[in-house]
């Protein structure tokens, strides 16, 4: 499928998921939001809490894709090293910034919480970054060039995504339709390949599954032209109805 | 934490997860198995069904980590391009190989299935690769140098992981203990940092959560020395019992 839509990548930072302790939820959420907005989600990376790994990944992804989202590592604890790594990746200085400090001070005054040195770490913002609103716990995310730096806590991550997505240039939303075929991929691969070649403006994915000991496949057809998608699905259904007969 | 254990990375290949259609299950499974075997899971990447993206990622990960696992893209359909990409990444030729063809022929003879051109694609193996057994649907995975190439269907992926993991050099298993503290990270960050500095042979992770409107944090301490881990957990519990009083 020729693809001229804007691209996005995600960098998930932290040992939590790589150690097998928890499952990621943020990538799946972002994937759905980007697809709705017509942005192609082209790559995701998970790295541990390691300064050099974060810096290298941010540089590579920011250079390769239109937009990058990061998740995790912007809290107050010693293992929250994302903000410093982002500053390093863009050769910018970083320090507690007055606007971010004010946001935190106002929030903690309202909730009767003591601000301390650890909490103040969350006001460390790379030079020239713009802030991303955190309606849940105040500590802001931030944007440096094409990189949006967000919290890892899913409720906060989702709120930040909701405020950033509308600012991105989107493409036409990517539509998809799917058909479940209860036959092994080996039986359907030949005709499917021919159909995919004929409808080269659409993308055809085949996702095999095994259920109750039998193999099947979900065929997902994606594209931005709803009429062509309908046409392809009609052909697809006829193809395997015929082959099943 | 000084870390001399072997490292692993994973490359998940396919549009399925990046489009938001499904959630990944294989990374979480592999993470648990690697941790038990004492291998540090250092990085995971998700890329779409794009030849150049796969080739570039395989080369980078294979050069950087002790072992690489890939998941997805080795079936019979037109979008299964992993085997060719792996061959390209290592500058090896690829063709239908007799040993892999025999495995498929035997399997299909037993199940009364017709072998065809599409199914035969699953016997395309890069030159010099060794095969990985697939006890579920026969089509083998394969290993080229330090890269293990596996199916994306979770049941098959898991079976292949089970046969590869025992062949890897492991480190001492990484032990972990955790403590849930019902206070915001900002309150515990200071003392936690000091404890982490004192127990520099262990790693301390702080994973914040929000539940019923209140913030808390799971503190996870990891290391290979069980005695030191016990000592740190005792100190950690005392620290926040005291702070709570």
């Amino acid at each position: 499928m020729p693809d001229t839509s804007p691209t996005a990548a995600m960098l998930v930072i932290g040992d939590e998921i790589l150690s097998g302790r928890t499952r990621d939820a943020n990538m799946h959420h972002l994937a759905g939001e980007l697809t709705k907005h017509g942005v192609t989600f082209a790559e995701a990376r998970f790295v541990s809490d390691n300064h050099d790994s974060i810096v290298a990944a941010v540089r590579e992804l920011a250079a390769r894709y239109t937009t990058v989202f990061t998740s995790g590592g912007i809290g107050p604890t010693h293992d929250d090293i994302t903000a410093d790594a982002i500053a390093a990746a863009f050769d910018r200085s970083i320090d507690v910034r007055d606007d971010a400090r004010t946001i935190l001070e106002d929030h903690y005054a309202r909730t009767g919480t003591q601000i301390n040195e650890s909490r103040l770490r969350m006001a460390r913002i790379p030079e020239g970054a713009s802030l991303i609103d955190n309606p849940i716990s105040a500590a802001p995310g931030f944007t440096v060039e094409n990189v949006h730096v967000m919290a890892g806590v899913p409720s906060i991550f989702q709120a930040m995504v909701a405020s950033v997505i509308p600012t991105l240039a989107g493409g036409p939303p990517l539509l998809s339709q799917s058909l479940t075929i209860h036959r092994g991929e080996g039986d359907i691969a030949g005709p499917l390949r021919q159909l995919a070649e004929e409808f080269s403006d659409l993308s055809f994915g085949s996702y095999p599954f095994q259920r109750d000991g039998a193999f099947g496949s979900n065929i997902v057809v994606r594209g931005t032209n709803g009429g062509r998608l309908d046409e392809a699905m009609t052909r697809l259904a006829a193809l395997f109805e015929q082959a099943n007969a």
Side-chain angles (χ1 to χ4, degrees), chain A:
Chain A
M1 183 176 54
D3 199 340
T4 56
S5 68
T7 56
M10 180 177 190
L11 179 64
V12 181
I13 295 158
D15 300 331
E16 191 179 11
I17 292 156
L18 292 172
S19 72
R21 205 184 144 268
T22 60
R23 277 173 192 267
D24 169 69
N26 292 337
M27 177 174 69
H28 183 68
H29 176 78
L30 183 63
E33 296 302 306
L34 289 171
T35 299
K36 275 192 273 182
H37 196 68
V39 176
T40 300
F41 191 11
E43 181 170 347
R45 294 192 191 180
F46 292 70
V47 297
S48 60
D49 297 312
N50 175 289
H51 180 84
D52 295 345
S53 302
I54 302 169
V55 171
V58 167
R59 284 182 174 160
E60 284 176 40
L61 296 174
R64 201 171 299 169
Y65 302 106
T66 318
T67 308
V68 178
F69 294 82
T70 78
S71 157
I74 62 167
T77 59
H78 66 283
D79 56 343
D80 290 309
I81 60 174
T82 297
D84 286 80
I86 300 289
F90 287 103
D91 295 315
R92 299 198 182 194
S93 63
I94 180 167
D95 206 344
V96 170
R97 220 170 71 177
D98 286 344
D99 53 350
R101 180 209 289 261
T102 301
I103 290 171
L104 290 177
E105 284 172 346
D106 289 353
H107 172 76
Y108 291 128
R110 266 198 310 279
T111 59
T113 307
Q114 188 71 39
I115 198 161
N116 59 22
E117 198 189 329
S118 297
R119 291 203 163 92
L120 218 46
R121 272 173 59 82
M122 296 189 286
R124 287 171 61 78
I125 303 291
E127 179 198 353
S130 56
L131 302 184
I132 300 172
D133 184 41
N134 172 352
I136 293 172
S137 58
F142 57 84
T143 300
V144 180
E145 299 191 10
N146 61 337
V147 179
H148 305 285
V149 177
M150 304 185 165
V153 174
S155 57
I156 307 175
F157 179 80
Q158 290 170 22
M160 289 181 171
V161 166
S163 68
V164 168
I165 290 267
T167 70
L168 301 181
L174 189 63
L175 309 171
S176 73
Q177 292 191 42
S178 68
L179 181 70
T180 299
I181 300 176
H182 290 280
R183 304 173 62 182
E185 275 196 308
D187 283 329
I188 62 179
L192 186 64
R193 174 189 297 270
Q194 282 173 22
L195 199 66
E197 280 166 8
E198 189 182 330
F199 287 81
S200 61
D201 54 326
L202 305 176
S203 89
F204 288 68
S206 173
Y207 306 113
F209 61 80
Q210 194 199 12
R211 204 175 291 151
D212 302 331
F215 282 89
S217 186
N218 290 309
I219 309 300
V220 180
V221 186
R222 299 186 182 90
T224 53
N225 181 329
R228 285 285 286 168
L229 211 55
D230 287 342
E231 208 182 314
M233 292 307 291
T234 304
R235 289 281 304 284
L236 186 66
L239 198 59
F240 292 109
E241 188 178 28
Q242 193 174 52
N244 272 317

